Amino acid sequence: MSELIKVEKRQVLQEKPDQASLTFGEVFTDYMLSFEYSQEKGWHDLKIIPYGPIELSPAAQSIHYGQSVFEGLKAYKHDGEVVLFRPEENFKRINQSLERLKMPQLDEELMLEGLKQLVDVERDWVPDGEGQSLYIRPIVFATQGVLGVHPSHNYKLLIILSPSGSYYGGDALKPTKIYVEDEYVRAVRGGVGFAKVAGNYAASLLAQANANGLGFDQVLWLDGVEQKYVEEVGSMNIFFVINGKVVTPKLNGSILPGITRKTVIELAKSLNYEVEERRISIDEVFELYHSGELEEVFGTGTAAVISPVGELQLKDEKIVINNNETGKVTQELYDHYTGIQSGKLDDPHGWRVEVPRY
Ligand SMILES: *Cc1c(COP(=O)(O)O)cnc(C)c1O
């Protein structure tokens, strides 16, 4: 499809923020993509409209019963061209999330085309400073205004765009302090842990706030059944470097299948690291630390990219990983990952998708 999507122009464009002061997710561009679903018409009325408040019934099913899913990806500017990073993976995953919440499927190709046209309209908003990008947030939520628990008959999709600096502000590779959560759990097998649904985040906030109160950046979630096996960190997947090997928990239905995770696995293999996806218990992690075999720990996710872990606290025991410094493997993966993303390095895997000028 190369047909142009209708753009409803806004009267006045916003002033763009100073690139040096960009934070994460606080400023939004002039336009957003909008798509409607009704039972009678299916998905219809795809258009680019001014960014702004939307009208929603107070009885909308998404607010009451949580039929709401989202995605997160980024666009980068390199040599004046704008590229997306593996965007087809995000639309594949949003369909898996939609399916799990009994919401209607999207045409993945059409969505990618719509996203490209939106980003083309907003290409001047894509920042080109170190570590900066245009963060892209697709959401789909139920809009039917009736009480009663059943799948909504109406939905809305929006894609909003936010020019952003690095996720943790300033220093992208500053090691984080992580609290191993041993009371609350994020997800259980058979539940919605593998899906990017809004409610998963609501369910994580109490533990996250408690950990923040104790001086930690994020929590490490353990499995929901035995609270024994490592699952993931906040909004990131987790990796361990053990005796030079790259190890990450195997996807099991309750772990979110991160696209950064998948990319890091492929990248590590292409850099000749041995990669293991397996169950790993938190006790094993601490034992490997004491035997000197745990070399590095890092998290992966679109927002933070690759984020070293400097401290892990389990109950009363704290371990300091790699002297609280960014490890060699973490740094190497980070450099390759961001190099390919931003266009500084070649892209042998074909992960970059250029946004054409329509
Ligand atoms: C989005 C997300 C991730 C990371 O996924 P990416 O595709 O790499 O951005 C990890 N864990 C959770 C819970 C998430 O929501």
Side-chain angles (χ1 to χ4, degrees):
M1 192 201 109
S2 53
E3 206 179 303
L4 280 189
I5 295 167
K6 193 172 106 207
V7 182
E8 283 178 13
K9 291 271 186 203
R10 56 190 279 168
Q11 299 300 314
V12 186
L13 297 182
Q14 306 171 83
E15 206 173 299
K16 294 189 179 57
D18 172 22
Q19 210 168 284
S21 65
L22 286 177
T23 53
F24 181 81
E26 293 185 296
V27 173
F28 297 93
T29 68
D30 290 313
Y31 291 98
M32 58 187 180
L33 190 73
S34 164
F35 209 12
E36 303 284 333
Y37 179 92
S38 69
Q39 245 184 353
E40 311 76 56
K41 290 195 193 164
W43 284 108
H44 64 280
D45 209 12
L46 180 63
K47 58 190 178 185
I48 294 171
I49 60 174
Y51 177 89
I54 54 167
E55 225 172 64
L56 191 64
S57 163
Q61 298 252 339
S62 52
I63 319 176
H64 296 261
Y65 309 121
Q67 268 192 311
S68 180
V69 309
F70 67 99
E71 271 301 328
L73 66 159
K74 285 175 171 175
Y76 301 85
K77 195 174 266 174
H78 184 71
D79 286 344
E81 291 307 314
V82 175
V83 294
L84 303 166
F85 194 74
R86 310 192 84 176
E88 60 289 340
E89 294 286 338
N90 293 90
F91 291 116
K92 204 156 95 188
R93 187 170 65 189
I94 206 170
N95 268 340
Q96 289 160 3
S97 301
L98 289 168
E99 182 181 26
R100 181 62 182 82
L101 294 196
K102 198 66 191 129
M103 296 165 75
Q105 294 285 292
L106 286 158
D107 178 334
E108 293 167 27
E109 259 173 60
L110 177 65
M111 290 332 297
L112 180 54
E113 182 60 31
L115 174 61
K116 285 180 182 169
Q117 292 194 23
L118 174 68
V119 174
D120 179 43
V121 167
E122 298 291 59
R123 67 169 61 239
D124 290 346
W125 282 88
V126 185
D128 60 3
E130 186 69 30
Q132 298 183 330
S133 58
L134 184 70
Y135 184 76
I136 300 165
R137 170 54 62 85
I139 47 172
V140 185
F141 53 98
T143 53
Q144 189 187 12
V146 291
L147 301 181
V149 180
H150 62 75
S152 175
H153 294 171
N154 302 81
Y155 298 90
K156 189 191 272 294
L157 168 141
L158 295 173
I159 300 182
I160 60 177
L161 308 174
S162 174
S164 296
S166 90
Y167 191 59
Y168 294 114
D171 190 358
L173 276 179
K174 185 170 168 286
T176 53
K177 294 171 72 169
I178 306 282
Y179 183 79
V180 181
E181 178 58 47
D182 61 353
E183 183 181 2
Y184 301 108
V185 299
R186 190 189 86 93
V188 291
R189 241 150 292 154
V192 293
F194 70 89
K196 227 169 162 68
V197 307
N200 280 343
Y201 278 82
S204 75
L205 295 177
L206 177 58
Q208 172 74 34
N210 290 346
N212 292 155
L214 294 171
F216 296 91
D217 300 302
Q218 302 241 18
V219 300
L220 171 66
W221 297 106
L222 300 178
D223 76 278
V225 180
E226 297 173 72
Q227 289 184 260
K228 189 172 161 191
Y229 296 99
V230 172
E231 297 240 305
E232 57 183 302
V233 177
S235 51
M236 292 190 289
N237 294 108
I238 190 155
F239 285 77
F240 303 92
V241 181
I242 301 166
N243 290 323
K245 238 189 271 176
V246 175
V247 180
T248 190
K250 190 180 164 76
L251 298 179
N252 59 0
S254 55
I255 295 173
L256 196 292
I259 296 161
T260 317
R261 174 187 181 279
K262 178 175 177 169
T263 306
V264 164
I265 290 172
E266 291 169 23
L267 199 56
K269 285 180 179 165
S270 76
L271 293 169
N272 292 319
Y273 285 100
E274 201 178 316
V275 179
E276 266 179 19
E277 296 178 65
R278 63 171 171 90
R279 280 219 297 194
I280 177 161
S281 73
I282 191 65
D283 291 342
E284 183 187 347
V285 171
F286 275 66
E287 279 158 23
L288 288 164
Y289 171 80
H290 290 298
S291 63
E293 293 166 273
L294 179 67
E295 290 154 352
E296 303 176 29
V297 181
F298 60 91
T300 65
T302 295
V305 192
I306 289 176
S307 175
V309 173
E311 282 181 22
L312 275 177
Q313 172 105 20
L314 172 64
K315 299 192 203 301
D316 295 333
E317 189 181 1
K318 178 173 91 177
I319 58 177
V320 176
I321 293 130
N322 195 44
N323 273 325
N324 205 21
E325 284 163 18
T326 302
K328 207 173 85 284
V329 180
T330 307
Q331 185 74 50
E332 185 184 4
L333 289 166
Y334 178 84
D335 290 343
H336 275 82
Y337 199 107
T338 53
I340 294 173
Q341 254 178 348
S342 65
K344 280 183 209 137
L345 293 180
D346 284 345
D347 175 28
H349 313 272
W351 289 332
R352 286 200 300 259
V353 173
E354 194 166 311
V355 175
R357 291 165 199 273
Y358 289 90

